[in-house]
Amino acid sequence: MGGRAGSWRSLSDSEGEETTSDPQPPLLDHQGAHWKNAVGFWLLGLCNNFSYVVMLSAAHDILSHERVPGNQSHVDPGPTPIPLNSSSRFDCNSVSTAAVLLADILPTFGIKLLAPLGLHLLPYSPRVLVSGLCAAGSFILVAFSHSVGTSLCGVVLASISSGLGEVTFLSLTAFYPSYFLLLTSPEPQDPGGEEEAETAARQPLIGTEAPASKPGSSSGLSLQERWTVFKSLLQYIVPLVLVYFAEYFINQGLFELLFFRNTSLSHAQQYRWYQMLYQAGVFASRSSLHCCRIRYTWALAVLQCLNLAILLADMWFSFLPSIYLVFLIILYEGLLGGAAYVNTFHNIALETSNEHREFAMAAACISDTLGISLSGLLALPLHDFLCRLS
């Protein structure tokens, strides 16, 4: 027994010497790097959407009130503005909140439309810097504005910040395969894939080397290749356009008209609660990819259009008895919208090759902006029509 034990110890020692000659990175560090990248992108997305969301949530206040001398807020201490039509059951502003939506989305639409054509030529660092400066400028301009027009200029800056930041950060994820590996199920991977993912995971999210110098960059794709990739993305782009068209038609076309007079909440407070519940639903569903994944995103588009039909019908028939029921519908609307967004880009990331992924992520992000822009254009005439109903 002693001889066997001694031989066992000597064998273990010899194996230990062989393994120590080629040290392997600890598994804990490997997993930690994955989570650091995931948390880093989560924070980037949170900060990038902040100014955009704040401007939309304050849309009713921006249009309802103007700054007066000595007043340090957008809430006018004077009487409530007169509705567009006092005989209407809707408490309307003279201008729809869709005007703020268009100011907050059209610059983003322009950036995303041009991004796949040449934005990759600009390094990531200047893009992030410009995005941050525009976000800061938007808050300063709106905070110190004395008119709606000046406030809308601040909203435009927020749109530039959000659009440039979104297309930048989504493209940047293409250089971090470990980020997508983390979001997939922990099934066994091939050794080569694990080694590549681990190497990328150990690279800092914001480093000294430009990501464009990495072999997975899409900067060398021809126009024909880009068009081919774009056509393959339509199965994901079209449902996401429909989801965002329906939900922002609700948000900026119907929210301000869903006014319940039999509650203790004022019109402005009701509008803020609608926006808050919607964003809470989006936040929860966008952060739930690790728990729930949806392959067929067209089902989410159908459900979101059904939400639009229900709330639009309520504009005419007023069959929803309580504002709390509307609260539940809006929370559900946000859950659908966030799930459609995160699952769309997750599916694209998994189904595109390394050389096409950067372009695919930048091209697909135009879908939500297109849907939002279309909804804003249609919500403006709808607002005027409904507000003139007796």
Side-chain angles (χ1 to χ4, degrees):
M1 292 293 292
R4 290 184 179 181
S7 62
W8 176 260
R9 282 193 297 269
S10 62
L11 180 60
S12 300
D13 293 340
S14 63
E15 288 178 351
E17 291 175 0
E18 292 178 1
T19 56
T20 53
S21 61
D22 187 17
Q24 298 294 327
L27 180 61
L28 183 62
D29 292 345
H30 173 67
Q31 294 177 345
H34 285 319
W35 280 108
K36 286 180 181 178
N37 281 348
V39 172
F41 278 111
W42 185 85
L43 290 173
L44 288 174
L46 181 68
C47 295
N48 184 68
N49 282 348
F50 187 75
S51 59
Y52 170 81
V53 169
V54 167
M55 297 305 168
L56 289 184
S57 300
H60 191 272
D61 295 312
I62 289 175
L63 295 176
S64 297
H65 307 284
E66 295 188 9
R67 285 277 303 276
V68 295
N71 183 21
Q72 297 301 316
S73 73
H74 281 278
V75 180
D76 190 346
T80 303
I82 299 175
L84 185 66
N85 184 354
S86 58
S87 64
S88 173
R89 63 187 178 89
F90 305 110
D91 183 21
C92 299
N93 289 315
S94 59
V95 181
S96 169
T97 53
V100 176
L101 174 64
L102 290 175
D104 207 12
I105 201 62
L106 289 181
T108 294
F109 181 72
I111 291 172
K112 291 184 178 182
L113 192 64
L114 299 176
L117 302 179
L119 190 61
H120 61 276
L121 300 175
L122 184 65
Y124 282 94
S125 296
R127 292 193 237 171
V128 176
L129 178 61
V130 172
S131 177
L133 290 176
C134 287
S138 69
F139 286 114
I140 294 173
L141 199 57
V142 172
F144 292 97
S145 68
H146 292 268
S147 67
V148 172
T150 306
S151 296
L152 290 179
C153 291
V155 175
V156 169
L157 285 180
S159 177
I160 295 173
S161 169
S162 177
L164 182 60
E166 182 179 5
V167 72
T168 296
F169 298 137
L170 282 175
S171 299
L172 189 61
T173 60
F175 302 104
Y176 293 86
S178 61
Y179 175 67
F180 298 108
L181 184 64
L182 175 69
L183 296 180
T184 57
S185 57
E187 299 174 353
Q189 304 287 334
D190 63 279
E194 286 187 353
E195 183 177 353
E196 178 186 356
E198 183 176 351
T199 301
R202 293 177 176 277
Q203 297 171 353
L205 189 59
I206 301 178
T208 55
E209 291 186 357
S213 64
K214 298 181 181 180
S217 174
S218 302
S219 57
L221 297 179
S222 65
L223 288 178
Q224 180 63 34
E225 288 177 307
R226 292 171 186 268
W227 174 244
T228 302
V229 173
F230 180 79
K231 287 191 296 183
S232 69
L233 298 176
L234 289 178
Q235 59 177 320
Y236 296 116
I237 289 178
V238 173
L240 194 59
V241 169
L242 292 177
V243 167
Y244 271 82
F245 170 81
E247 71 183 71
Y248 273 86
F249 196 93
I250 294 171
N251 292 2
Q252 305 306 128
L254 304 183
F255 271 8
E256 64 175 325
L257 304 179
L258 289 169
F259 177 46
F260 288 80
R261 301 180 185 273
N262 57 345
T263 68
S264 60
L265 299 174
S266 67
H267 192 179
Q269 289 172 331
Q270 290 181 35
Y271 182 86
R272 295 187 202 114
W273 270 104
Y274 293 155
Q275 290 287 354
M276 189 280 293
L277 289 170
Y278 163 75
Q279 295 298 340
V282 170
F283 178 82
S285 57
R286 284 198 184 188
S287 304
S288 64
L289 183 60
H290 198 61
C291 305
C292 178
R293 302 186 193 101
I294 300 173
R295 176 69 177 81
Y296 302 105
T297 54
W298 58 264
L300 300 174
V302 172
L303 293 174
Q304 197 70 289
C305 290
L306 182 60
N307 281 342
L308 172 59
I310 292 173
L311 293 178
L312 195 57
D314 183 66
M315 292 292 99
W316 272 272
F317 304 108
S318 301
F319 57 84
L320 295 177
S322 171
I323 191 174
Y324 298 103
L325 182 57
V326 176
F327 283 169
L328 289 177
I329 295 175
I330 291 173
L331 180 63
Y332 171 62
E333 173 209 345
L335 290 171
L336 290 177
Y341 184 93
V342 71
N343 281 280
T344 293
F345 286 101
H346 180 249
N347 293 332
I348 291 173
L350 293 180
E351 296 181 14
T352 53
S353 62
N354 291 336
E355 63 176 333
H356 295 155
R357 185 173 296 131
E358 181 187 14
F359 168 77
M361 299 295 276
C365 72
I366 197 175
S367 51
D368 61 325
T369 309
L370 177 60
I372 296 172
S373 300
L374 293 175
S375 68
L377 291 173
L378 291 180
L380 283 172
L382 176 70
H383 169 273
D384 293 340
F385 172 75
L386 292 177
C387 287
R388 286 180 170 83
L389 291 177
S390 57

